[in-house]
Amino acid sequence: MAIKKKIGILLSGRGTNFEAIAESVAAGRVPQGEIAIVISNRPEARGLEIAKQRGLHAVCIPSQGKTREQHDAEVAAALKAKQVELICLAGYMRLLSPWFVQQFPQRILNIHPALLPAFPGLDAQRQALDYGAKISGCTVHFVDELLDHGPIVIQKTVPVLDSDDEHSLSRRILEQEHIAYTEAINLVLSGKFEMAGRRVRPLLQPRIAAEQHE
């Protein structure tokens, strides 16, 4: 039986994307991965309780009263202790320090509820509505030292309806977020991709011998 690769989840709140990832892992839709640790910077985060209910190792590493560098060092140590190979941000409301990102190169994923580079930062759905966008969606990307900036792994589109408000658009985007995150995790864990500048390109599966000798 193949050894599964360890996933670490960072969250600050309800953790709906974490739940979707956990469900995908439990259902075998992430065959190469297992969740090794769930970390929150907020003790009241609902995601921690959900993780514990699922029997996962869940810890709070409080950020209050610490510098970003101090807190990131504690989080990195906890992830390394669990030999985490891929980190997934699931509503983690903190900017990671450049030092932290450098500890896990091309091993940190984030999801954003817009089609980056459009509408980075907070309230992306409201930004899309205010701008009059006809199409929105979500983006799973590698994390670098800048906000919502790293190379894009997967995007899913969602039409913006004339009847949409922030809540209805957010709800439909969230459905696609859950699908996109699982796809992105599987791609990264498989290692079957290449980086070309900012482009993340899935590697094509080799054709069977019969096709190669047509």
Side-chain angles (χ1 to χ4, degrees):
M1 185 175 180
I3 298 175
K4 292 183 180 291
K5 297 179 180 179
K6 298 183 184 299
I7 301 169
I9 307 287
L10 304 185
L11 55 82
S12 296
R14 57 182 180 161
T16 55
N17 271 305
F18 153 61
E19 277 196 272
I21 293 169
E23 187 60 35
S24 287
V25 170
R29 294 192 294 272
V30 183
Q32 297 186 55
E34 63 181 6
I35 297 174
I37 188 170
V38 178
I39 299 174
S40 176
N41 63 307
R42 297 177 178 174
E44 72 277 11
R46 172 66 177 154
L48 281 179
E49 184 59 33
I50 293 170
K52 292 174 182 176
Q53 291 172 0
R54 286 181 167 273
L56 299 171
H57 181 56
V59 298
C60 177
I61 301 178
S63 56
Q64 189 171 8
K66 301 172 185 173
T67 67
R68 184 168 56 153
E69 289 72 19
Q70 288 172 332
H71 184 254
D72 280 4
E74 292 180 19
V75 173
L79 293 165
K80 290 178 179 179
K82 285 293 184 178
Q83 299 179 312
V84 164
E85 296 175 70
L86 179 64
I87 300 164
C88 296
L89 308 186
Y92 191 58
M93 305 305 292
R94 288 181 61 80
L95 284 175
L96 298 172
S97 64
W99 175 87
F100 186 96
V101 174
Q102 292 162 10
Q103 303 306 299
F104 306 96
Q106 294 181 18
R107 291 164 57 198
I108 310 174
L109 291 177
N110 185 42
I111 192 160
H112 183 72
L115 296 175
L116 293 173
F119 315 127
L122 298 175
D123 302 320
Q125 302 94 330
R126 170 51 53 193
Q127 291 184 59
L129 290 168
D130 289 347
Y131 200 81
K134 300 300 184 184
I135 297 174
S136 188
C138 60
T139 303
V140 184
H141 63 95
F142 284 116
V143 174
D144 64 12
E145 290 83 356
L146 302 177
L147 175 66
D148 296 332
H149 178 268
I152 291 169
V153 180
I154 285 176
Q155 290 183 311
K156 299 287 185 182
T157 59
V158 172
V160 180
L161 307 178
D162 291 340
S163 59
D164 268 330
D165 59 18
E166 190 172 353
H167 297 292
S168 62
L169 180 59
S170 297
R171 184 169 58 251
R172 296 205 324 281
I173 290 175
L174 187 62
E175 292 173 357
Q176 295 303 309
E177 288 182 42
H178 295 167
I179 297 169
Y181 225 154
T182 294
E183 290 182 8
I185 290 169
N186 279 328
L187 176 62
V188 175
L189 289 182
S190 75
K192 296 176 181 177
F193 67 94
E194 62 181 2
M195 301 289 295
R198 284 189 52 84
R199 296 190 178 206
V200 179
R201 295 174 176 167
L203 295 175
L204 298 177
Q205 296 291 330
R207 297 190 303 169
I208 61 174
E211 291 178 323
Q212 292 174 339
H213 292 90
E214 288 176 349

